[in-house]
Amino acid sequence: MEDWEREVDSINWKTMLAEIDQALLDNLAAEIGFRSYENLENASGLVAEDYHICHLSDNRWAYWNPHTYTREDPLFFEDRDTVIKHIAEMFGLVDEKLEQLKLGMDEVHQSHQCEYCKYEFLPSTTTGDWDTDKYCSAECAMESVLHEMKEDFVE
């Protein structure tokens, strides 16, 4: 019993809570289709009050909030007009504010889906040694080439 109490006393609760928070954010990213929260955040635009929007490779839009994720799932919309209508109604946007929303959504770039791992990603603007429109990373590009080589070898 004393060993158990000593173990509990030695737990760094702040570190544990930070790890749980990060795991929840990564789970949110995975639910939307991204490998990590950082990738999701980079591909998204801020709407208002911690609500974000991203344009997915299949042309849907995902609307999400990292602070309310444990209580409310991300919302998915089939087209731009539907998500604009939802946001405008939620925040009571009219006239100038509605136009700002539309302009802001024009700044959100559509993500791509990696041909190897199938995660969403925002194509890199830097040139790499791999096709940055097809693969999310050099690792996925390399794994894809190795997979093709193995298939050729087996045949």
Side-chain angles (χ1 to χ4, degrees):
M1 186 70 157
E2 290 177 12
D3 290 339
W4 179 82
E5 288 176 354
R6 230 179 288 120
E7 287 291 323
V8 170
D9 288 342
S10 68
I11 293 174
N12 183 335
W13 294 104
K14 286 184 180 181
T15 301
M16 183 180 287
L17 289 173
E19 289 171 359
I20 291 169
D21 286 344
Q22 186 59 51
L24 284 170
L25 293 175
D26 285 339
N27 189 61
L28 166 64
E31 187 173 339
I32 295 173
F34 288 83
R35 180 184 303 274
S36 70
Y37 179 71
E38 181 182 352
N39 291 359
L40 170 61
E41 201 172 34
N42 288 337
S44 299
L46 179 64
V47 175
E49 299 177 18
D50 290 326
Y51 283 92
H52 301 262
I53 191 86
C54 63
H55 192 187
L56 302 174
S57 62
D58 63 2
N59 229 18
R60 292 179 306 146
W61 292 81
Y63 183 63
W64 55 276
N65 183 326
H67 301 294
T68 62
Y69 171 59
T70 57
R71 298 181 311 277
E72 106 191 354
D73 289 332
L75 300 176
F76 295 92
F77 298 90
E78 294 300 319
D79 59 61
R80 185 177 186 272
D81 292 337
T82 307
V83 73
I84 287 173
K85 181 179 177 189
H86 176 80
I87 294 170
E89 288 174 1
M90 182 176 182
F91 292 104
L93 304 179
V94 292
D95 302 329
E96 191 176 309
K97 294 288 186 185
L98 184 58
E99 287 305 313
Q100 286 178 347
L101 172 63
K102 290 177 182 177
L103 290 173
M105 288 188 63
D106 289 341
E107 299 297 315
V108 177
H109 299 286
Q110 186 171 14
S111 63
H112 291 210
Q113 187 178 62
C114 179
E115 287 189 15
Y116 184 75
C117 69
K118 305 301 182 201
Y119 280 115
E120 297 284 321
F121 71 100
L122 198 57
S124 174
T125 55
T126 61
T127 57
D129 293 335
W130 74 94
D131 189 340
T132 58
D133 285 337
K134 290 173 61 174
Y135 302 106
C136 65
S137 65
E139 291 80 13
C140 280
M142 182 62 75
E143 288 294 324
S144 178
V145 169
L146 289 173
H147 184 75
E148 287 177 19
M149 289 172 64
K150 285 180 186 175
E151 285 180 353
D152 290 343
F153 185 72
V154 172
E155 292 175 357

